[in-house]
Amino acid sequence: QVQLVQSGAEVKKPGASVKVSCKISGYTFTRDYMHWVRQAPGQGLEWMGVINPSGTSTNYAQKFQGRVTMTRDTSTSTLYMEVSSLRSEDTAVYYCARDHLDNWGQGTLVTVSS
Amino acid sequence: EVVMTQSPLSLPVTLGQPASISCRSSQSLVSSDGDTYLNWFQQRPGQSPRRLIYKVSNRDSGVPDRFSGSGSGTDFTLKISRVEAEDVGVYYCMQDKQWPYTFGQGTKLEIK
């Protein structure tokens, strides 16, 4: 069955960067677009962006442009998302998800605190 | 960007009774391929979101048939025919017709 397993929780200081990973198994990794969605504590879901099957093209939500980088490693079937210049408002659970969000990872809590 | 608006935001329901959530989009979700790209997600407390319904009315695998989706164009509805205790959580509509994908604010379903 399809599985998306994300890396563990992170605690970062303001201004730092964080890189979250998402390992996919159970289907052909290079077939689908992959998305990232985040959820701040007690808040709703926010789409961050998408990467194409080959990893050669990305599309980011306007508010994340310039601060978010999505990549994928087809040799290890792993997706990555890096957020730079972290601020307290970036404290959230970050999810990876398959195209059309039919399968989700378990989420990675990123806490930004001085 | 397509704006998604849900109502109500809070939904207290008695066990065994029906429940209904509305979702409106700021523009038509009908794509050039003729399909309408509206989804419904359930997020139980402490869990990742789970897709329940895609393309307005198609249930995902394993989703109980008490969940149903309907609507067209810009107005959509999620119905639960008889609410069970395991249905407690937050429900989101989401459009995937175009990037950026956008979500409704969420509707919190609780047992009265």
Side-chain angles (χ1 to χ4, degrees):
Chain A
Q1 76 279 21
V2 178
Q3 280 196 305
L4 286 69
V5 179
Q6 298 183 223
S7 49
E10 303 263 13
V11 179
K12 295 292 184 181
K13 294 194 182 305
S17 297
V18 68
K19 193 170 187 176
V20 179
S21 68
C22 170
K23 184 165 177 62
I24 292 91
S25 61
Y27 82 106
T28 305
F29 176 66
T30 52
R31 190 187 71 186
D32 288 323
Y33 286 79
M34 297 293 296
H35 302 255
W36 289 89
V37 174
R38 78 175 186 181
Q39 185 172 40
Q43 301 302 307
L45 300 169
E46 182 175 34
W47 184 84
M48 299 182 68
V50 59
I51 184 166
N52 73 342
S54 62
T56 56
S57 177
T58 53
N59 186 293
Y60 303 131
Q62 188 169 13
K63 72 179 286 186
F64 299 110
Q65 285 176 9
R67 244 182 10 111
V68 166
T69 304
M70 297 177 186
T71 55
R72 61 198 294 168
D73 183 342
T74 54
S75 67
T76 60
S77 298
T78 304
L79 198 62
Y80 297 95
M81 186 202 55
E82 184 170 21
V83 184
S84 60
S85 303
L86 287 166
R87 31 206 190 231
S88 59
E89 309 89 87
D90 294 317
T91 294
V93 176
Y94 291 77
Y95 295 100
C96 59
R98 207 168 65 155
D99 204 16
H100 300 292
L101 310 191
D102 65 349
N103 281 276
W104 295 61
Q106 84 276 19
T108 297
L109 175 61
V110 175
T111 303
V112 183
S113 173
S114 54
Chain B
E1 174 173 318
V2 180
V3 177
M4 306 297 290
T5 305
Q6 286 181 234
S7 63
L9 301 185
S10 178
L11 185 55
V13 183
T14 301
L15 285 174
Q17 292 301 301
S20 180
I21 301 170
S22 294
C23 176
R24 178 167 290 179
S25 57
S26 61
Q27 55 186 264
S28 173
L29 301 184
V30 181
S31 181
S32 56
D33 63 7
D35 284 329
T36 302
Y37 287 86
L38 185 282
N39 306 268
W40 289 97
F41 293 84
Q42 175 195 61
Q43 188 175 32
R44 291 171 172 153
Q47 294 188 13
S48 299
R50 166 198 182 195
R51 196 178 72 177
L52 300 175
I53 303 279
Y54 63 97
K55 293 183 187 177
V56 180
S57 59
N58 297 275
R59 271 191 306 275
D60 274 280
S61 176
V63 174
D65 61 7
R66 64 178 182 275
F67 290 92
S68 64
S70 64
S72 62
T74 61
D75 285 283
F76 307 94
T77 303
L78 175 71
K79 291 184 179 175
I80 309 173
S81 58
R82 295 173 306 280
V83 170
E84 298 188 6
E86 66 177 20
D87 300 335
V88 165
V90 181
Y91 291 80
Y92 298 91
C93 62
M94 185 204 80
Q95 68 81 21
D96 58 345
K97 176 191 174 188
Q98 64 188 56
W99 301 333
Y101 288 178
T102 45
F103 293 90
Q105 314 96 302
T107 296
K108 186 172 185 179
L109 187 150
E110 61 180 25
I111 304 302
K112 218 187 279 187

